[in-house]
Amino acid sequence: MNEGALTVRIHVVENYPELSLRAAGIVASQVILKEDTVLGLATGSTPEEMYRELAQLHREGKVDFSRVTTFNLDEYRGLDPGHPQSYHYYMRQHFFDHVNIKPENIHIPPGQGADIPTICQDYEQQIAAAGGIDLQVLGIGVNGHIGFNEPGSHLQTETHLVDLTAETIKANSRFFSTPKEVPRQAITMGMGSIMQARRILLLASGKSKSAAIRDTLGGRVTTAVPASFLQLHRRVILLLDREAAALL
Ligand code: F6R
């Protein structure tokens, strides 16, 4: 494993269930230590089980989310919050409906609305007004994207509208009945918004993520692998299962 000059802490666990338990433990500890925690949250298949574990911890009376504020990373452009593939829907289904988080403390970029610059600026202002993100949970795309900050010649710092790459559209088409239905654009927090979080927890599971994880930690920071920027953050934990860590 190349741990050279890394500031990133790497934890490798056996499999996905273990990863989910461990991730839920880290998020729960954060909320227990600071009841008014501001969480940055991700969607996708990777954190699904973590949300289930957190809901279970809440049911058991072990974590109270009543003072927690959340900001989601991203939302597809063009899907209304009731659309089953929207990230608004996902978050209700997997997490918010199962814990005592206050609706007014939940923030997800709106998928609809014409005035994109204002939508993006408002989101940044809301994060700032909440005092910034204490713990940002991230997944990672097979192409190394985080949020929907896609590989390219440049990366944007703040919340913005993004064109999804063909690779991401293909990867996400598994959630839609046909690839044609996958939205082509999304609103995502930018790299700067993500990097400002006080702590970052990135989760990766499965073989398909192993190359992206290798490149994330490759010692080079490049817009071709947005996650490689995490090497510049001082408090990152990479929580991987054996398959995702296979190329380290
Ligand atoms: C989702 C998000 C994306 C996903 C990534 C991995 O809010 O920001 O960056 O984390 O596409 O998705 P899964 O976990 O489905 O492999």
Side-chain angles (χ1 to χ4, degrees):
M1 194 180 287
N2 168 19
E3 284 182 330
L6 300 180
T7 54
V8 178
R9 283 162 54 199
I10 303 163
H11 292 280
V12 182
V13 296
E14 206 44 49
N15 50 33
Y16 179 65
E18 225 179 281
L19 176 133
S20 307
L21 262 180
R22 194 74 81 85
I26 292 170
V27 174
S29 305
Q30 168 68 40
V31 174
I32 290 165
L33 287 170
K34 182 171 184 274
E35 290 178 346
D36 60 349
T37 283
V38 179
L39 291 176
L41 297 177
T43 60
S45 21
T46 312
E48 274 183 21
E49 196 86 33
M50 174 194 81
Y51 288 132
R52 225 185 329 269
E53 295 293 345
L54 282 171
Q56 178 63 27
L57 289 172
H58 172 67
R59 267 192 300 276
E60 290 167 3
K62 293 179 180 152
V63 204
D64 173 14
F65 290 92
S66 61
R67 296 185 57 206
V68 167
T69 298
T70 63
F71 288 90
N72 265 80
L73 281 166
D74 41 20
E75 177 58 287
Y76 286 121
R77 178 83 182 132
L79 299 191
D80 72 71
H83 190 291
Q85 301 310 336
S86 74
Y87 289 168
H88 280 76
Y89 189 95
Y90 171 107
M91 287 307 299
R92 283 197 305 275
Q93 184 189 25
H94 292 286
F95 190 45
F96 296 147
D97 282 355
H98 310 286
V99 295
N100 62 337
I101 188 152
K102 294 200 174 98
E104 63 269 28
N105 290 348
I106 293 171
H107 305 84
I108 306 180
Q112 296 182 308
D115 188 354
I116 303 280
T118 304
I119 287 174
C120 295
Q121 269 167 29
D122 285 354
Y123 205 64
E124 290 291 330
Q125 271 163 18
Q126 284 166 347
I127 296 174
I133 291 172
D134 291 304
L135 175 65
Q136 174 68 58
V137 178
L138 296 175
I140 183 169
V142 288
N143 61 3
H145 72 215
I146 54 176
F148 275 134
N149 294 280
E150 297 280 31
S153 58
H154 66 277
L155 290 168
Q156 274 174 250
T157 50
E158 300 204 324
T159 301
H160 61 283
L161 180 70
V162 66
D163 292 327
L164 302 181
T165 61
E167 208 168 6
T168 298
I169 291 168
K170 188 169 160 237
N172 290 3
S173 65
R174 68 192 194 278
F175 299 113
F176 293 81
S177 16
T178 63
K180 259 182 142 174
E181 279 176 50
V182 188
R184 272 25 190 182
Q185 291 185 312
I187 291 185
T188 182
M189 278 167 55
M191 290 302 297
S193 350
I194 293 169
M195 291 291 284
Q196 272 174 39
R198 287 185 265 281
R199 285 177 193 274
I200 295 179
L201 171 64
L202 183 142
L203 312 177
S205 165
K207 253 202 302 239
S208 68
K209 302 292 171 69
S210 58
I213 291 299
R214 178 199 57 206
D215 297 344
T216 296
L217 296 172
R220 246 163 44 104
V221 174
T222 165
T223 57
V225 184
S228 67
F229 277 75
L230 297 178
Q231 292 172 95
L232 301 173
H233 195 283
R234 290 178 50 221
R235 288 187 173 158
V236 182
I237 300 177
L238 248 66
L239 186 50
L240 314 171
D241 66 10
R242 289 230 167 270
E243 287 188 349
L247 299 179
L248 296 183

